[in-house]
Amino acid sequence: MNKSKINYIIDFLALMSFLIAAVSGLAIKFFMPSGVRQGRFQEFLGIQKGAWSQIHDWFGILLIIFVAIHLILHRDW
């Protein structure tokens, strides 16, 4: 596999990680406010707040990894 194809794949994965982290962060911030108990676990789109938080955290970590790989691939530039 050539370097440009690897770069494309890494950039695409970084973009997807960013979008998922951004959407999950917006869902946590605007649709599930903290400190509000509704008599049940808070949900948005059928997913509980704890799961949204884990999705946000893991895809944030993946984004950091993909950006680091991207920077390594472009170190000569």
Side-chain angles (χ1 to χ4, degrees):
M1 202 181 289
N2 60 11
K3 189 175 179 180
S4 64
K5 189 166 187 139
I6 293 171
N7 186 42
Y8 175 78
I9 292 169
I10 293 297
D11 289 351
F12 178 76
L13 292 173
L15 174 65
M16 291 296 108
S17 297
F18 168 75
L19 291 175
I20 293 170
V23 168
S24 62
L26 292 172
I28 292 168
K29 178 69 175 173
F30 293 111
F31 296 106
M32 294 173 278
S34 62
V36 177
R37 297 301 293 175
Q38 300 170 346
R40 59 185 175 88
F41 291 111
Q42 294 181 1
E43 291 183 359
F44 178 66
L45 298 176
I47 303 173
Q48 293 180 356
K49 187 174 184 177
W52 279 110
S53 181
Q54 286 185 348
I55 291 168
H56 181 73
D57 292 346
W58 282 108
F59 279 94
I61 291 168
L62 283 175
L63 177 60
I64 292 169
I65 292 168
F66 291 136
V67 168
I69 294 170
H70 173 86
L71 292 174
I72 291 168
L73 288 173
H74 290 85
R75 68 184 174 272
D76 295 334
W77 187 67

